[in-house]
Amino acid sequence: MCKEKIGRPVRVTSIGFNDCDFDKVLDIIDSEGEYGADMIILPEAWRGFESEPETLTGITVSSVAKIAKKHNTYIACPIYRKCEDGKCFNSNVLIDRNGEVVFVYDKVFPYWEEFESNRNLHVGTEAAVFETDFGRIGMATCFDANFPEVWKRLADLKAEMVIWASAYSAGSTLQAHALNHHYYIVTSTLLRDCTVFDITGRELLYEKSDSINISRIVLDLDRGIYHENFNMD
């Protein structure tokens, strides 16, 4: 009997919720950090779609960054981000183990209702990948699920895991991206659920809660897909 070995384990925690008190969310993130997660992810617009845009030094990122540093973990923290020139982006901010902002993904395909706000919302220019200390991480947000070019770009940049923060659950759309491009996809949504697809497109996990969903999973980033040679014995 062969026991599968995990080569490069990554402990990921997805926290899904909607309309939750800010201090309560911080307490939850703090509690989850104590479990030793390598990455904690939060849902899109978790401060509310009508919340005021913030800079990267605002209360949201600053508060989450303190927890990241305290527990030596990465945290993906979506916000509506305000820039010095007045532009606003639907951004997912990656904070590293030292509590530093190391990467920002600006949503490339915002949903049209987002433009009806007074945020002077702009679109991101491209999908990108960041090299963490455990692997190459890509990000996509909500409506991006419907645009294959985003997911191909992440594959071209050799993403090993893609974090998808969202207001809804995309289901088989994400499964297709995982299957086509052979990276893990981990979700966190305002619908209080989490789905994890592996590099073959197989659903590893689906969990949903009526209140706050907390999903923990360990992924092996050393897995690969190789075609068998049917001409060999």
Side-chain angles (χ1 to χ4, degrees):
M1 183 176 180
C2 180
K3 184 177 181 181
E4 183 178 354
K5 295 181 179 179
I6 294 183
R8 191 164 29 123
V10 180
R11 297 159 295 181
V12 183
T13 299
S14 168
I15 306 175
F17 55 89
N18 192 0
D19 193 25
C20 190
D21 178 76
F22 180 55
D23 290 331
K24 181 177 180 180
V25 173
L26 294 180
D27 287 341
I28 294 170
I29 300 171
D30 190 26
S31 296
E32 287 305 307
E34 293 180 356
Y35 283 95
D38 293 298
M39 172 74 74
I40 297 174
I41 65 177
L42 303 171
E44 177 191 28
W46 63 279
R47 294 301 310 272
F49 282 101
E50 301 304 320
S51 61
E52 286 297 317
E54 297 183 42
T55 67
L56 293 176
T57 58
I59 186 173
T60 299
V61 173
S62 298
S63 300
V64 173
K66 290 179 182 178
I67 300 174
K69 183 176 183 179
K70 175 182 177 182
H71 296 295
N72 191 36
T73 183
Y74 288 89
I75 301 178
C77 176
I79 62 169
Y80 278 105
R81 181 172 65 92
K82 180 172 65 176
C83 301
E84 291 183 358
D85 59 6
K87 292 181 180 179
C88 173
F89 295 89
N90 184 339
S91 302
N92 201 342
V93 180
L94 183 62
I95 302 164
D96 72 5
R97 300 183 193 273
N98 295 315
E100 300 292 333
V101 173
V102 290
F103 179 69
V104 177
Y105 167 67
D106 296 324
K107 187 176 180 181
V108 178
F109 291 102
Y111 192 65
W112 51 81
E113 289 184 1
E114 294 183 79
F115 292 103
E116 295 178 1
S117 70
N118 296 319
R119 298 188 180 94
N120 193 22
L121 187 69
H122 284 65
V123 301
T125 57
E126 65 173 337
V129 167
F130 181 78
E131 183 86 46
T132 69
D133 56 21
F134 55 78
R136 296 178 66 80
I137 304 303
M139 290 181 170
T141 302
C142 200
F143 204 44
D144 289 337
N146 299 297
F147 298 89
E149 56 266 40
V150 173
W151 303 86
K152 183 180 184 304
R153 175 62 175 164
L154 295 174
D156 290 342
L157 293 171
K158 297 180 170 50
E160 297 174 282
M161 179 172 71
V162 177
I163 295 166
W164 188 71
S166 180
Y168 80 112
S169 308
S172 59
T173 305
L174 295 181
Q175 186 174 30
H177 296 319
L179 172 62
N180 287 333
H181 301 301
H182 307 316
Y183 40 53
Y184 292 98
I185 298 177
V186 184
T187 80
S188 173
T189 80
L190 295 177
L191 292 183
R192 308 175 183 91
D193 66 0
C194 171
T195 310
V196 180
F197 294 106
D198 81 355
I199 63 174
T200 68
R202 181 168 64 96
E203 184 180 281
L204 292 179
L205 177 145
Y206 177 77
E207 294 181 342
K208 182 177 176 64
S209 173
D210 292 331
S211 55
I212 297 173
N213 181 73
I214 299 174
S215 296
R216 307 182 191 100
I217 191 167
V218 179
L219 303 177
D220 180 4
L221 295 191
D222 273 344
R223 293 184 67 212
I225 294 178
Y226 307 91
H227 197 288
E228 183 177 358
N229 186 345
F230 296 105
N231 296 311
M232 296 180 66
D233 292 337

